[in-house]
Amino acid sequence: GGLSLEPFVKLIAPSCAMVTLSSEHGGDAMPVVQAFAHSSAKIREEAVLEALRHLTSSGTEGEAKMQSDHQSQHLLGSLVLQATRDSSLQVVQQVLQSEHFWNKPGHVGVQAAVHALDALLVRLLSKTPCVGQCLRDLYLSVAVQDAQLSSTVSSAVRCLAWVYKRKDCTEELQHRTDAFLMPLVVLCFVGSYVTLDKKSAKAGKPSHEVELMAAVAHFSAESHHRLFRKITADSVVGVDSLSKNVDFASATTLCELVEGPRVHEQTSSVLGGAAAQAASAVLLAAALPRLFGSIGSTPWQTVGDLLSRCTKACQRFAWQQADEHNASGRCSDSLKRFVQATVTSVGVVDKGAEADKKRKGQVDGVLVDASGRLFVVILDRPRSFEHELRQVLGLRQSLLCPALIRVAFGFNVSQETLLPGSTAVANALLLLRSFVARADEKDWEFDASLVLPLMCQLACSTSKEVRAASMEVCSALLKQKWTTSKSSLWESPCAKALRTAGVFRESHDVMPTQLWAKVQEQGLEIAQCSTATMQGLLKQVVARHSEIVQDRSAAAALLSEFLCGTLGGLRGSTRTGACSFWGTGCAMLARDAFSGSSALLSAIPPAFLVESLQSLLPDLVTELLKALREDNALTTVPEILRVVFARMCEFKLEDVVGGEKESSAAKEAVSFFLQQVLLTLCTGLADMYEEGLQSISQSVADVAQLLCICMSNAVQWPIDDELKTEAGLALFRLSVAAASASTQEAEEVSVDAQEALVQPCSVAVHAGSVLLDIALDSQTLSKLLKSSPSLKAKQLGSVRGYAAASLLCRIIVGFTSPCPGRADLLVALGKLSCDAAAQLVKQNKAKTKDSTEHEERVALPQLLLAIAALCEHLGSNTDAAGSSKTSGVIPIVCSSLREVCSVLGKQTTGGMLAAVIRACGALSSLSLPIQATGGGRLAMLKDTPAPLQTCLDGLLHFAAPLKADVAILLRQNFQRLWLQPALSASTDPDNLWDALAQLRVRLLLYTATSGTLVPSPEVEPSMFMTMASSAGLQASLDFAILAFFARRSEHMGEAVAVKKRSRKRQASTLESDDDNEDHELDLDLPSPGALADSVVDDGFGMLLSAGAEYRYHCMGTLMQTLCCLAAGLSSKVTTGASPCCWGLQLVPPALLKDLGPDRNVAVIAACLRVASRFVSEHGLPEDLDDAAFDGQRWRPTLAADTSDGQGGGSAAVAPICYAIWAACAVEVLLAEGSSSAVEGQPLQACRVLAVEFRTLLMRSLAVNHPLTLLRATCLALQVPGQHPPIADDDLFSGRDVRSTIAINVMSGACDALQDRTDLHSGPKSDAGEEDDDVMKRCAPLCSVAMKHVIKSFLSGSKSSIGEDAQVVSVKFLESLCSFSAKATPKPILKICIPAVLSCVEEGLSGPTKNKSPVLVACCACLQTAIEQLGRGIMERLNDIAPPLLQMASSRESKGKKGPAAEDAKDLVKARALQVIQTLVKNVGAFLSPFLKDILQLLTTQLLPWETPMLEDLGRDLVACVPARLLLPAVQSAVVAAEQDLSSAAGGESELAVCLVRMQRLASLKAWIFAQATPDFVSSGLEVSANALLRLLSAGPKAAVQFLQSGGEVDHLTSKLLKPEQSGKIVGSIAAVNWPERCSVGTVFQMHALSAEAFTQFALRLDLEQIRPCMRQLLDWARDGQAVALAKQGSKKGASEDGSATDTDVACRFLAVLSVMRALASAAPGISEELLLPLSIKDLSSSLTAARRYAMKLAVHHRSAGRKRRKGLAAGGGAGPPPAGRTSLWGARGRGGSPK
């Protein structure tokens, strides 16, 4: 608005110096607010002044300007008004100085202003404590002592005056302001007047006091209050002038001020506090004489009200004065003035009332009350109020006596009046004693009726002072002369005075008038007590003066002894009369007067009391029932009857004083009271309730409650049992009738009437609670069921039937001790519940829309609750649980409950279901143990226990979601439902109980989590975990996870909203969910036919939420359960049936039916993912191999819940073993289910998951826990002694399933053990002694596994065993060999190798093609055994080598190109060669018997793919077989090969084979000589030289054989010599490569290899040793000639056609040349020293012969060329060039010229 912020900015600088006040931010009020909230009081004061200045200026500029600035005006006004709360009084005073601000309506609202000023005054005056006792001191401490505070108060009062006169100040607000300021105004006027005469006239009053008085006068002048009329701003007001304005209304207001706050209020709640209270008392004291002096024209009602109010104010003011200021007994001047004025007023009113006889009765009661209150004040300070006491005692005696009695007995007239203190009561009693002593006073006649309240005071008062004064009164009474009167003592003058005082009640309240007349006629002592009896009692009281004064309980004890006759000698009728008198006296005492009168009542003997009133009690009951029938709303119970009931409520057998006679009398009294009084009244009330009695008075309700308690107490006495039963039935009838009437009342009676009367429900509650205390037995309740009309079939649908059933339920619930007949009662209740169910269904069919019948008023839920309670009571009794009679009832009761559920159907409510669940849970514990005999195991699994089946039926019929309370109850009964029944035998060898219990728990869990009971939105992991925890995590966690997946699969394929995880959380799912990372909602789209990843995460979270000791157990059982699910997909299992696996029926049939094939596969896949994830992320326990495992017994899936439980490997070994078995079974069963409707990607993916889990688990075990792996393998293979017995009806009893599972297990074990081998054989392997120890522990299992596999798959007739099974079996044996052969070789040698050799023998006997996979596997197994055993294989060497050599020597191969050829025989040969090679490596030194065959194998196999393998074998043979053994064998082979070459037919192929054989033998010799030592070579010099010559002669012989067999000389070079593969120098022994040099037979290659062998041989000899060998070699080459080729070089000796002789000689010298070249290359110096000198002539002659043959060959070529050219010319075309002829003498070079 128009508010300028610049002044406020300047105030709070420099903090706001940077604030810019532009037009855009003109409305920003922050500087203003900061200025008003500044920490400096000076700045706040300046802000207030600036705001007031702005408000004042805006107000003077016109109305239009104010309207435009309304927003700023409102802000500033609010801030200024808030400044009244400022802590600085200077700031507050600045706010209060502006009259314009407070009296103008536009600045601040009138209500807000008044409220702020009121709060300010309260805050200011609360800071000034009231100090002093007189009014002057109080006034000065409040209003004058602090000048600044007084000045601020004056300003606030003046502001209130300004606000008061505003036009917008309503009349109501003005009245409230008057009431608020009145205490302060009165305090100022009266206090100023009181202090005026105390001060010197010269001194004058302080300015701030003058200012305060002026402000108060200003407000009084503006006020409309009657008390302030005629007061102007300039008036000098005193007490006298102000009291003239007090009228009856303002006097009442002043009385309220005098009374001050209540007990729990603070004095400061009145403005001015105690000072204002004292000033008001002084003003009222000045006004009362004038007011009561003119009562003639005032109505007596007004006068009485004011007088009563003044005495109340006087008593409370005196109490406050004594409590706060003057506890010593003195009083202040204000109190004294007020008491004097009040006493005077009472006297004035008394005289006026006595003069006006017509109105005397109207004020007598007020005068008695007023006198009593004055007595309390005066007698509390008798010395201070001595004059006032005399004035009060001058009142009329008819008023004085009741008032004094009232104070003497501490009676409180109303709740608003304070109780008199002990001092006042004691003084009143002493004053009463003085009047008792004045026997000449007729108005003060005291009799025996006074003894009753005196005894009550002695027995009840807690003050010794009061009890001592009471004793003084008793002493005075004892001294009086007692007069005997025939009239009733209760109507004497003393009794009337007591009644007027409120101590006694009216006689007709004690007993009906007609009965009082009967008492007078019969002269009963109920209305009179003998003088001797009363005086005897008083004597005893006075005699025990000191005892009673010290202990108040002594008075009641004395009275009890007196009435019982043990003290005082009362006997017979005198005692009876005394008991009746005192009983009537207790009834006569007003309950308000003596709340402790029960102390006297407890002293009256109940038996004597009943005996004394025996003639009246039946009449009292009759009259009461009669009055109830006439007017039930106004009927009150006679007090004497109430007293008798109250006394009999506490009467017990142990309270009887005396011997057997007294006990007998007490029993008779109780029987009389029960039969004549209690039963009569109970039956009468029940009749009236059944006839339509709707409500009763509170008095009757109290007696009805006492009636019920008395009946409960009476039946505890040893009285007639029939009478007890009758009492119980009567109470049951009363309770039912009252309850039904209460229900009707609630519908028909208005709300106001219900508040005025007591509804029958209270009576029903009391009667029902007493019935619980009586504890009716089962037999009585059975009678009740038969006899009660309310429990008939037709009544069960009515309100009365509901009430009866409800009460019956409460009684049964209250059973605490065992009693006979409970089983019969249970059966009867079951039948009754069936009738109630039928009736309920019938009513529901007939019910209309406007029907008001409520479900909670139906009898059936209550009957079901009763059945449940009774069942639980039977279950809690150890004697009844398990008995044959009780167990025989179980089927009957369960049948009834099932019938109820069936009849109700969907009408079953949550309460009914809860009762059924409770009953079933309790009945389960009562079941007899199962007899594990007769019938098959599967048949027993199908037999569901009756309680469990009943519970399942109830859940199935319930057609609504389970409420929280029912779900909790169901979870609480989970374990009881599935744990029972137990087995009859102490042991369970077949795990039968485990199987039965598993079926029960899974049926229960599946039913409890069905879609009807748990809607889809409630399907959360937490709910299923809660269920599992209730049932026991060991027993049900796996199925809870599976059931969760099953429910989530209902919406399979739908997108699921999940939180998008960060990469870090995706990498590790173990992080806490409460991290600080942000998440976004994302859609989790599952794969087709699978559950979403988020759902799998939830299932995995369920597994992790359980303790570590439960997780592996859950995983194992979950895998077993998946096997049952997978079996549901198998074609070998009936559709919808639940198979029995491992002796367990782990999947309810309903689950398989509901899932269907697609959802079934999805659930299996999800569970497999959870299991795999758990193993991969959490691994396995470290001590698995150390844990005990009994494979011969079925794994208990539930036993761990009933034991202490174990952790680590002990708890995990069995689940893990069974998980492997189950994974293999799932894989097999899913494969068999491929023909079902789910064939495709989901099923294939599921099978892959099963394989992956099995692989993961077995690999983990193999690497770290091999013993557990072997345990699991033996278990799954069903190795005898390592697996439990399997029943015939079990899924795993089938041979096909068992065999297929075995194949998968063996395959997985092979892979796992291979992984272990690879890991432990690596460079970082730390396997050592520990690994050897593990292998030794595993040896027994390896042995039994080998025997089982051999027996099952590798022995006997193998026609029924598939080839795959044999292959896998052999591979499994191989893995066992690799694992355990080194530690325990004996089983390998004795068991494994013979079996494998048997398979090899069988394979070799038939077609190899059909047996090749088996033979290959056998070879691999043999190779592994050889590698692991090493020389340990020697024991089986003679058995192993022959078949291996036979397989490797097979020549039926077609010669495929490589090991991957299709020919199976090649695969077998290759594998056999590898085994032979391994054998050579390990036991080469012992292969002497087989060296011939091995060399034969090496040299005769010519397939290209075999050559490298043979070369490796040859090299290993040379390396591993000692040369001393191998060289002779090779030399023998050379001889044999030479013979074969000599006998060869001469064909090209045969010669090539022979040459290849000789070439390989040459390479072998070269390798041998290369590794041999010189000594070794020298030792066999001659033999070796001969052998080398044989090798060198192989080439010439082959050439000769070729020519002699008809070969042409022209073809010799191309087919046998093959110059393109000429024998170039090998260079090193490592360069001998068989695929290049030993795969094709050529003369030149033969020469080269032989030359290499000779070179290696010669290199290990010295020159002298070499020389003879070279001469021998040259001699062999010369073939008898002087020099080599001498004949061929001469014209005479040369043949024209290149005969065989020339060929032989030429080839020999070529061989020599190869040797010389090899030697020269290996040892260059040997040429000049040895070779040239020996062979120079031979070289020359050879060159000559070569030249001769070259010339001859050239001539031949020219003539042949001419002929060819002529032929070509004649033919007209160019033909091919002439075929070049090559021979031993030359080779064709480039351009065809000879070289």
Side-chain angles (χ1 to χ4, degrees), residues 1137-1397:
S1138 180
C1140 181
C1141 304
W1142 298 284
L1144 303 171
Q1145 192 172 356
L1146 296 174
V1147 178
L1151 175 59
L1152 284 175
K1153 182 178 179 181
D1154 294 343
L1155 281 178
D1158 295 333
R1159 290 174 56 196
N1160 192 345
V1161 172
V1163 170
I1164 295 174
C1167 293
L1168 286 171
R1169 291 170 64 186
V1170 168
S1172 298
R1173 185 174 172 185
F1174 173 70
V1175 174
S1176 61
E1177 294 184 6
H1178 294 268
L1180 302 175
E1182 296 180 356
D1183 56 344
L1184 277 179
D1185 286 350
D1186 298 331
F1189 175 70
D1190 186 4
Q1192 299 184 24
R1193 291 177 54 85
W1194 286 109
R1195 167 189 171 239
T1197 58
L1198 302 176
D1201 278 337
T1202 58
S1203 63
D1204 295 336
Q1206 297 176 339
S1210 299
V1213 60
I1216 289 174
C1217 292
Y1218 276 82
I1220 292 176
W1221 190 0
C1224 296
V1226 169
E1227 180 184 355
V1228 171
L1229 294 172
L1230 288 177
E1232 293 182 354
S1234 59
S1235 60
S1236 63
V1238 294
E1239 169 64 16
Q1241 183 179 359
L1243 185 62
Q1244 180 62 28
C1246 194
R1247 287 200 297 267
V1248 172
L1249 288 173
V1251 174
E1252 290 177 351
F1253 173 72
R1254 182 251 295 165
T1255 303
L1256 172 64
L1257 191 55
M1258 296 186 79
R1259 183 185 185 279
S1260 300
L1261 290 176
V1263 173
N1264 301 303
H1265 315 286
L1267 181 60
T1268 304
L1269 174 66
L1270 293 176
R1271 289 169 174 173
T1273 303
C1274 293
L1275 181 69
L1277 289 176
Q1278 300 184 26
V1279 176
Q1282 301 298 323
H1283 79 99
I1286 298 178
D1288 295 337
D1289 50 9
D1290 198 277
L1291 179 68
F1292 297 112
S1293 61
R1295 179 177 177 83
D1296 294 341
V1297 174
R1298 187 171 65 248
S1299 300
T1300 311
I1301 292 175
I1303 292 174
N1304 292 343
V1305 171
M1306 290 188 293
S1307 177
C1310 291
D1311 297 338
L1313 290 174
Q1314 183 60 43
D1315 291 339
R1316 173 187 172 83
T1317 301
D1318 297 340
L1319 182 64
H1320 285 198
S1321 61
K1324 297 183 180 181
S1325 174
D1326 55 353
E1329 296 181 0
E1330 182 179 355
D1331 192 50
D1332 295 338
D1333 181 65
V1334 170
M1335 292 184 180
K1336 290 180 180 179
R1337 294 173 59 190
C1338 298
L1341 290 177
C1342 292
S1343 299
V1344 295
M1346 289 178 186
K1347 293 178 181 179
H1348 175 73
V1349 170
I1350 292 170
K1351 181 179 179 181
S1352 301
F1353 300 98
L1354 300 177
S1355 64
S1357 176
K1358 299 183 178 58
S1359 58
S1360 59
I1361 302 174
E1363 181 181 327
D1364 294 339
Q1366 294 184 39
V1367 172
V1368 173
S1369 301
V1370 176
K1371 288 183 179 181
F1372 178 67
L1373 293 178
E1374 178 191 356
S1375 63
L1376 293 180
C1377 289
S1378 176
F1379 174 73
S1380 65
K1382 290 182 179 180
T1384 54
K1386 188 174 181 180
I1388 307 299
L1389 295 171
K1390 301 294 184 182
I1391 301 173
C1392 180
I1393 293 179
V1396 174
L1397 292 175

Side-chain angles (χ1 to χ4, degrees), residues 121 137 155 163 175 281 369 449 509 571 641 677 693 709 718 725 793 827 894 979 1050 1211 1221 1336 1361 1369 1482 1514:
L121 285 173
D137 295 339
S155 301
V163 175
H175 289 331
D369 294 342
S449 61
D509 292 336
R571 294 289 184 270
L641 188 61
V677 180
L693 179 64
I709 300 175
T725 302
V827 174
C894 290
L979 282 174
E1050 295 173 358
W1221 190 0
K1336 290 180 180 179
I1361 302 174
S1369 301
N1482 286 273

Side-chain angles (χ1 to χ4, degrees), residues 844-860:
N844 290 338
K845 290 181 180 179
K847 188 183 297 184
T848 61
K849 294 183 179 180
D850 299 333
S851 176
T852 59
E853 189 72 22
H854 300 287
E855 176 190 344
E856 58 270 15
R857 298 177 187 172
V858 180
L860 180 58

